[in-house]
Amino acid sequence: MGFKCGIVGLPNVGKSTLFNALTQTAAAQAANYPFCTIEPNVGEVAVPDPRLDRLAQIAKSAQTIPTRLTFVDIAGLVRGASKGEGLGNQFLAHIREVDAVAYVLRCFDDGDVTHVEGRIDPTADAETVETELMLADLESLERRVAAAEKKAKTGDKESAVQVYAMKAALAHLHQGQPARLTRVSEEHRPVFDQLGLLTAKPVVFVANVDEASAATGNAYSAQVEERARKEGAAFVAISAKIEAEIAQLGAGERDEFLHTLGLKEPGLNRLIRAGYALLDLVTFFTVGPKEARAWTVHKGARAPQGAGVIHTDFEKGFIRAETIAYDDYVAGNGEAGAKDAGKLRLEGKDYVVQDGDVMHFRFAN
């Protein structure tokens, strides 16, 4: 399990160029006209994690299998999408299917690439995208809340909770605020999540900058970063053009190229980390002579849930998890050394999986 991230934005902001670079494919047609992406393009990328390579090296694993992340390149949104303008209805339906949304915002000047609204203003672009999503959420909730209220009056407790969640979201939306800013209790969270609101999804603001600004950002990206900070959203500055070049290079050439640009790593790595933090995801590992493999669970997941990511039978028949922290595994130069040092722990059903755990699950058939 990784997570599915939808790439959205106005036409001609670099969405498809970024998608092509991130997935190292030409699946999305990057063209200088609106709606060149008619159907959402889906691509999977391996999540880079140097810890996995180190574990495989120590265990002399025959295979290394990283966890994966899915990107969905969604057709460019325009003003009026919530009313069906452009590819509005398709756009909105595709957003509902992702776990998080990356708002790609144009933060570069280029007279050869037209802007659908004739100006470069990333914060205004963000407003356009968010406004259309909020309008769609408003229409959806206002259509449903009356029916839920009627049902709640009959004493239906589930409907009463739905009404509470809907009205909490509507209060924000009527003030021009996205539903993700709505505060709900843990008790009401599952019901709120089931409302399927577009603006309730976590957001990563992606500033697509020119090559010269890839390492430091620019005045445009600074505006986007400030907006993200105020909202408590994630922010990443990426040059889609540079990412496209990196995707064509071998590992050695890639490192040298990044160094000349003053970059320590590709933008993809930073985008993945931002997404993982946003969705509260952690990685654990299984390691052996056949393979070293990374797995993803939500922060707070207990050992049986971690086992279930590998196979549902593991969760059903869970007995215990033999667990070694990553640093202890490396310090012991493998499982045997860690065990000799007293670092191998036997954890039960209540154990919360920690990022970097090396685990071996025992289960009953």
Side-chain angles (χ1 to χ4, degrees):
M1 166 190 155
F3 69 95
K4 185 181 286 187
C5 184
I7 301 177
V8 304
L10 300 184
N12 299 344
V13 297
K15 288 188 310 88
S16 295
T17 301
L18 180 62
F19 173 84
N20 290 343
L22 293 176
T23 58
Q24 299 188 28
T25 72
Q29 178 190 8
N32 184 24
Y33 57 91
F35 313 128
C36 63
T37 309
I38 304 300
E39 293 296 332
N41 292 275
V42 180
E44 283 195 341
V45 296
V47 175
D49 193 328
R51 295 176 301 179
L52 179 62
D53 297 327
R54 182 75 179 110
L55 292 171
Q57 182 184 33
I58 291 171
K60 296 180 173 58
S61 304
Q63 256 190 311
T64 302
I65 306 174
T67 188
R68 303 188 73 78
L69 163 66
T70 302
F71 283 107
V72 183
D73 179 26
I74 299 171
L77 176 145
V78 293
R79 196 180 301 277
S82 60
K83 302 298 181 185
E85 290 296 321
L87 297 170
N89 295 330
Q90 288 175 259
F91 177 98
L92 299 173
H94 294 143
I95 291 181
R96 295 189 198 281
E97 299 170 3
V98 301
D99 301 308
V101 183
Y103 288 2
V104 180
L105 303 169
R106 179 171 169 174
C107 293
F108 63 88
D109 293 302
D110 188 337
D112 294 331
V113 180
T114 60
H115 188 289
V116 72
E117 295 197 354
R119 45 90 183 118
I120 309 301
D121 187 341
T123 53
D125 289 354
E127 290 287 349
T128 298
V129 172
E130 195 123 274
T131 296
E132 293 306 320
L133 300 186
M134 286 192 291
L135 288 171
D137 281 345
L138 268 171
E139 183 184 356
S140 170
L141 286 178
E142 288 175 344
R143 192 175 61 246
R144 290 184 286 165
V145 71
E149 283 180 318
K150 188 180 292 185
K151 209 170 178 183
K153 286 177 181 176
T154 67
D156 186 276
K157 291 182 180 179
E158 187 177 338
S159 295
V161 175
Q162 283 182 337
V163 171
Y164 167 84
M166 287 179 180
K167 288 191 172 180
L170 280 167
H172 279 279
L173 292 166
H174 281 136
Q175 292 175 32
Q177 298 174 341
R180 63 179 174 275
L181 299 182
T182 306
R183 291 186 178 181
V184 293
S185 65
E186 286 301 311
E187 177 190 355
H188 295 123
R189 173 56 61 181
V191 174
F192 181 81
D193 291 343
Q194 287 169 11
L195 296 177
L197 301 177
L198 302 173
T199 61
K201 295 184 183 295
V203 167
V204 182
F205 286 97
V206 181
N208 182 17
V209 299
D210 55 278
E211 296 97 315
S213 306
T216 59
N218 57 26
Y220 293 134
S221 66
Q223 296 172 25
V224 177
E225 186 172 15
E226 176 62 15
R227 180 185 176 117
R229 187 191 62 76
K230 285 181 178 177
E231 288 193 16
F235 166 81
V236 179
I238 290 179
S239 169
K241 282 190 175 182
I242 286 177
E243 295 300 315
E245 290 182 54
I246 290 173
Q248 305 303 317
L249 301 174
E253 294 175 304
R254 188 177 303 176
D255 291 341
E256 187 178 336
F257 181 58
L258 287 168
H259 180 71
T260 62
L261 295 169
L263 298 171
K264 293 181 180 178
E265 60 183 350
L268 169 61
N269 296 24
R270 288 181 281 117
L271 182 54
I272 288 171
R273 278 203 303 276
Y276 266 53
L278 197 65
L279 289 172
D280 280 339
L281 299 174
V282 297
T283 300
F284 72 91
F285 305 97
T286 53
V287 184
K290 287 187 178 179
E291 66 178 38
R293 185 162 185 162
W295 307 87
T296 304
V297 293
H298 281 96
K299 189 180 291 183
R302 301 191 184 277
Q305 293 172 282
V309 171
I310 299 173
H311 198 290
T312 52
D313 288 347
F314 287 14
E315 182 173 5
K316 291 174 185 174
F318 178 88
I319 298 174
R320 65 177 182 272
E322 297 174 1
T323 307
I324 305 170
Y326 170 78
D327 288 341
D328 293 333
Y329 190 98
V330 173
N333 199 35
E335 183 177 326
K339 188 174 183 179
D340 289 343
K343 298 298 185 180
L344 187 150
R345 311 184 309 273
L346 300 180
E347 303 289 1
K349 292 182 178 180
D350 291 333
Y351 177 70
V352 176
V353 179
Q354 300 298 306
D355 188 57
D357 276 348
V358 179
M359 309 185 81
H360 180 73
F361 296 102
R362 299 290 183 186
F363 67 101
N365 288 318

